[in-house]
Amino acid sequence: MLWFRIDNRLVHGQIIEAWLPYTGARRLLVANDAMAADDLQQQIVSLAIPGRVEVHFVRVDALAEYCTGRTDDGHDTLVLFATCADARRAFDAGVGMSTLNIGNLHYTPGKKQLCAHVSVSDDDEACLRFFNRHSVSLDFRCVPNEPVQIKGWS
């Protein structure tokens, strides 16, 4: 299965210790323009990834091409986005998503707190409503063993 997650922290302990085992992912795709352009950051982040997991850093606009160019059709892959806007860019470029995990969006002034780990700007909210209208199920969970925090959001 192909898993998608928005988490402004990208690769961190919850991804490595909870989401990779839960999803059974053998591949981690970090879809982030800044990270894809920074070899040093890639090397640093790669040190934390278990050896059994491939990690790739791709520009958001290149994600659709990367996914369609694979012979294994992306099974057992976890894709990370830092922002709602990046997930939307990937969707608009042709990346099909049935479910999108909203894992963490930090609070900053002017954002509305939806639950303990998700705060949204007006743009974020519009983006999530877009996904909802396009039949993408929104899964508001920080870690896989907690219940979905927001059900039926629209």
Side-chain angles (χ1 to χ4, degrees):
M1 178 172 188
L2 191 59
W3 295 82
F4 297 94
R5 176 179 171 91
I6 298 172
D7 190 324
N8 56 280
R9 301 167 295 177
L10 292 172
V11 180
H12 56 91
Q14 289 174 347
I15 299 299
I16 295 162
E17 295 295 323
W19 285 101
L20 286 175
Y22 176 76
T23 62
R26 295 187 315 252
R27 183 177 303 108
L28 180 63
L29 291 179
V30 179
N32 182 269
D33 295 346
M35 187 80 77
D38 190 333
D39 290 336
L40 180 59
Q41 277 295 98
Q42 291 176 29
Q43 291 173 6
I44 292 168
V45 168
S46 294
L47 291 173
I49 308 298
R52 65 173 178 75
V53 177
E54 289 177 42
V55 62
H56 301 275
F57 303 88
V58 297
R59 288 178 302 100
V60 173
D61 294 336
L63 182 61
E65 181 180 335
Y66 180 88
C67 290
T68 57
R70 306 220 32 110
T71 57
D72 60 8
D73 69 6
H75 287 287
D76 303 324
T77 300
L78 174 60
V79 179
L80 298 176
F81 301 104
T83 67
C84 292
D86 283 352
R88 167 81 188 264
R89 283 176 46 212
F91 186 87
D92 288 343
V95 175
M97 300 176 206
S98 59
T99 302
L100 178 60
N101 170 250
I102 316 303
N104 195 69
L105 292 171
H106 282 301
Y107 175 81
T108 56
K111 285 189 170 186
K112 177 169 65 173
Q113 189 95 29
L114 295 182
C115 58
H117 55 91
V118 176
S119 296
V120 294
S121 65
D122 291 343
D123 289 342
D124 294 333
E125 199 166 355
C127 184
L128 294 176
R129 289 187 194 291
F130 168 86
F131 282 120
N132 193 277
R133 284 191 313 274
H134 286 84
S135 301
V136 176
S137 175
L138 300 177
D139 173 3
F140 290 85
R141 284 187 292 171
C142 202
V143 291
N145 63 346
E146 73 181 11
V148 174
Q149 298 295 304
I150 301 169
K151 296 180 181 181
W153 188 84
S154 59

